[in-house]
Amino acid sequence: MFTGLSAFPLTPTDENGIDEHAFVGLVARLAAAGVASIGALGSTGGYAYLSREQRALTAREAVAAAGTTPVIVGIGALRTRQVLDHAADAHEAGAAAVLLAPMSYQPLTDDEVFGLYRTVTAESTIPLVVYDNPGTTHVTFSDELHGRIAALPNIGSIKIPGVAAAAAPARIAALRAVIPAHVTIGVSGDWLAAGGLLGGADAWYSVLGGLFPEAALAITRATQASDSTAAREASNRLEPLWALFQRYGSLRVMSAAAETLGLVHSPNLPLPLLGLDPAGRSELEATLLRLGLGA
């Protein structure tokens, strides 16, 4: 579950609620494609914008639609009590693991971040993925803090930000030196994933995989076979899509791509989030056509 491709789908949402039918379809596609795990309610899944009831519903639907594929459910929230509630809901839904980013409004100290994970791991019995996402949470993990947290019970993996290919081996080796051997390291930042996997990461926590699992699996499997040429070629081929991710944000791009493929209705992002503007949508549609990324 904490190695290979973990695919993170969109949670199609408008002001009337979650499109359960569309969400179930997205999850079922991933399970059928053979991903290692499915990440429900990650950043792409819009967890921060949903109520407790909506998140609990999404967790239940994800687990049911995934079949035998393990589901990792995001539980991040501003208050520790809320995180514990979301963890309990994920456990009740049958999640195989939970994913926790330390959300903040007031800046958090290292001791406050550690205290969050200590409290959650003391009360939750299912494995936890530490979500290191400073671009969104504005919480920066030092390796020393990662080491303290990784020594807590039930820590299964660490999801780190993307790192350039040349720097990936040293970055991953430095982190691995301070965490227990059973804790895996997974990369995000899809355009950097091939380099991270070739540099020693165990898993790819992927936005791309949530909608285009076959393309993400091609990269993942090439790295698992130590075929660096094939992995880099498969990633470089997607450079036009990576450029859109970096320009517009991967959530907006995946939202528009899912619409283009006819898998979700519009709108499918919770306000105040808006989809791609017409120019961006036209560029995305042309890119998908050129790359052969169809339904």
Side-chain angles (χ1 to χ4, degrees), residues 51-64:
S51 68
R52 179 182 179 183
E53 293 73 21
Q54 289 174 320
R55 291 169 67 165
L57 170 65
T58 301
R60 293 193 299 271
E61 296 282 12
V63 171

Side-chain angles (χ1 to χ4, degrees), residues 143 145-158 175-185 202:
D143 283 357
L145 179 57
H146 269 310
R148 291 174 66 194
I149 293 171
L152 293 168
N154 297 320
I155 300 296
S157 184
I158 301 171
L175 180 55
R176 206 177 293 284
V178 299
I179 63 176
H182 69 273
V183 176
T184 71
I185 298 173
D202 305 290

Side-chain angles (χ1 to χ4, degrees), residues 27-46:
V27 173
R29 288 175 80 247
L30 302 180
V35 301
S37 63
I38 295 169
L41 297 171
S43 296
T44 306

Side-chain angles (χ1 to χ4, degrees), residues 244-270:
L244 293 174
F245 275 23
Q246 294 174 77
R247 190 182 317 157
Y248 296 108
S250 58
L251 172 58
R252 292 181 179 86
V253 172
M254 286 295 97
S255 163
E259 288 178 27
T260 299
L261 298 182
L263 299 174
V264 301
H265 298 296
S266 178
N268 56 68
L269 295 176

